[in-house]
Amino acid sequence: MFGCDLWVEVNSISESGAFFDDFNDLNADGWWLGYSQHTPLVNGNWRVEDLGLPHNGVLVQDNGADHFLALVQNLQNSNQTVETKLKLNSGSGYGGVVIWYQDDNHWVSVNVYPAAGLIRVLEDGDTVAGTTYSYFSAENTWYDFKVIANSATGDLDIYVDGA
């Protein structure tokens, strides 16, 4: 997971098996809830909140800095399909998924950024070779977000609300 002002439910399927967490147990057990990769001294304001139906437990991060990562602990895979429901609470916030993480200086994420009207692929916090796609999203709206990552080809298929 990646982002600022982000609420999520996660379903990840990889060759190593399936991982699912809807946070309905109201905890983030099994997750590393990290600090800002842009300014590592800033910790994320991570917590699980109960919003009631249909989203009961959601993972929330609302600290105002860049590139907070939340990672599933001890999950290693190469090809993967990651699906999440995300809600961006402000126009300047963004959120998405981390599809590869080695350490603080080596990671790849895909996120929705409403203020810029785009979806972008980031490597180590920088846009990968200008990889952005126009997409206009609204704040305070839930989206179904899905990324299919193929490690053999390097291809990413990115879907928002099925499109």
Side-chain angles (χ1 to χ4, degrees), residues 24-66:
N24 283 346
D25 57 4
L26 299 180
N27 70 58
D29 292 350
W31 288 81
W32 175 80
L33 303 177
Y35 44 81
S36 171
Q37 300 296 302
H38 182 67
T39 52
L41 298 177
V42 179
N43 288 318
N45 186 29
W46 296 101
R47 63 199 177 280
V48 176
E49 292 184 358
D50 184 352
L51 301 182
L53 294 174
H55 299 287
N56 290 341
V58 293
L59 181 62
V60 177
Q61 195 304 115
D62 59 4
N63 202 348
D66 289 323

Side-chain angles (χ1 to χ4, degrees), residues 67-78:
H67 308 303
F68 290 99
L69 303 184
L71 304 172
V72 177
Q73 295 175 331
N74 302 317
L75 180 65
Q76 295 182 11
N77 50 32
S78 50

Side-chain angles (χ1 to χ4, degrees), residues 111-125:
N111 64 63
V112 179
Y113 190 12
L118 53 83
I119 294 172
R120 62 186 178 180
V121 178
L122 298 176
E123 184 173 351
D124 309 332

